[in-house]
């Protein structure tokens, strides 16, 4: 798995902090890691972007962006409004392949959900994953509504013949409600792929050293971690810190 594409079921689901946890766990396992942000929006030149945040939390990773736009909009819209060239799927594919030649693992983080448009032709992160023949990790929210968005994402990946590696819950609260507790059982069923972890809400605010030490405990072995779905359920559905 030299390249892993990471997408969310939407915005604000914990995609960047999950990317950081995957990177930190891979680094702890002795792997070299690069993080590629396909399209960074809502950040101006000189400001810190999502890839920078991953590096701050995870440690020594190579970071790269394919495009950056100042307004917090879908990449295609942000590019048009800024009068800047859009990012094309082949731009992301080429950048990921170059990084993969020099690193054990390349994490390609999307912007928003799987089908958010990069350009006026309708290019998306799904096109990138398909062209790379890379597996996709889906970051989902914990609460009500997540089953629908997760299943829609999984169906699109299956229709394209793209492997869905699994699902990670991007923010698990200390006191989960009924819907959240039920979703732990239902998410793997609707996704047709395993639950590969759960990040406690707010871990992005941890000190980097603490984050790096704890990260493997939030992710399953498939992601270089020690988290187990069965123990998560049996342990009153409490994510470790």
């Amino acid at each position: 798995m030299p390249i892993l594409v990471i997408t969310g079921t939407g915005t604000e689901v914990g995609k960047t902090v999950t990317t950081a946890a995957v990177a930190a766990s891979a680094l702890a396992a002795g792997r070299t890691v690069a993080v590629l942000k396909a399209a960074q929006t809502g950040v101006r030149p000189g400001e810190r972007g999502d890839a920078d945040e991953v590096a701050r939390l995870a440690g020594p990773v190579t970071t790269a962006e394919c495009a950056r736009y100042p307004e917090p909009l879908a990449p295609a819209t942000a590019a048009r409004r800024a009068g800047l060239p859009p990012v094309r799927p082949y731009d992301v594919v080429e950048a990921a392949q170059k990084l993969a030649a020099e690193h054990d693992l390349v994490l390609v983080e999307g912007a928003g959900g799987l089908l958010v448009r990069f350009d006026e032709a309708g290019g998306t992160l799904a096109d990138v994953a398909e062209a790379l023949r890379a597996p996709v990790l889906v970051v989902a929210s914990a609460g009500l509504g997540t089953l629908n968005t997760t299943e829609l994402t999984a169906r699109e990946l299956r229709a394209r013949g793209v492997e869905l590696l699994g699902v990670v819950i991007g923010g698990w609260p200390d006191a989960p409600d009924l819907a959240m507790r039920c979703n732990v059982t239902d998410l793997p069923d609707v996704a047709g792929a395993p639950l590969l972890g759960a990040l406690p809400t707010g871990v992005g605010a941890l000190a980097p050293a603490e984050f790096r030490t704890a990260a493997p405990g939030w992710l399953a072995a498939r992601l270089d971690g020690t988290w187990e779905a069965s123990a998560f359920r049996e342990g009153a559905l409490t994510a470790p810190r």
Side-chain angles (χ1 to χ4, degrees):
M1 189 180 63
I3 301 176
L4 176 63
V5 175
I6 301 180
T7 190
T9 54
T11 59
E12 305 300 325
V13 295
K15 186 170 66 276
T16 296
V17 73
T18 298
T19 301
V22 174
S25 296
L27 288 170
R31 305 168 75 186
T32 57
V33 180
V35 177
L36 174 63
K37 183 68 177 181
Q40 177 68 65
T41 64
V43 178
R44 296 184 178 277
E47 295 180 341
R48 295 176 58 84
D50 290 343
D52 298 313
E53 178 64 6
V54 171
R56 184 186 73 82
L57 289 171
V61 300
T62 300
T63 61
E65 293 176 356
C66 289
R68 171 178 286 219
Y69 308 109
E71 294 182 313
L73 303 169
T77 306
R80 184 180 70 246
R81 285 179 52 84
L84 295 171
V87 62
R88 311 285 186 184
Y90 62 76
D91 296 326
V92 186
V93 169
E94 184 178 68
Q97 289 173 332
K98 287 181 178 178
L99 290 168
E102 300 176 349
H103 298 81
D104 299 323
L105 176 64
V106 178
L107 303 176
V108 181
E109 183 184 344
L114 182 68
L115 297 182
V116 169
R117 294 192 171 197
F118 289 155
D119 58 23
E120 70 280 357
T124 67
L125 190 66
D127 297 315
V128 172
E130 189 173 1
L132 287 170
R133 298 183 180 178
V136 174
L137 180 68
V138 173
V139 182
S141 60
L144 198 63
T146 195
L147 299 180
N148 179 63
T149 53
T150 300
E151 184 165 3
L152 288 171
T153 302
R155 287 189 181 189
E156 179 65 23
L157 291 171
R158 284 196 297 270
R160 292 170 175 262
V162 175
E163 177 189 357
L164 172 51
L165 187 71
V167 178
V168 169
I169 297 173
W172 187 259
D174 291 333
D177 61 24
L178 176 61
M180 294 174 182
R181 298 195 300 272
C182 292
N183 287 341
V184 171
T185 298
D186 294 337
L187 274 169
D189 291 337
V190 301
L195 189 62
L196 294 180
L199 274 66
T201 298
V203 295
L206 293 176
E210 187 177 357
F211 183 93
R212 296 165 196 173
T213 299
W218 306 326
L219 301 171
R222 188 68 181 86
L223 297 171
D224 297 308
T226 59
W227 182 92
E228 295 183 7
S230 58
F232 181 57
R233 296 190 187 96
E234 293 167 3
L237 300 178
T238 301
R241 288 191 180 273

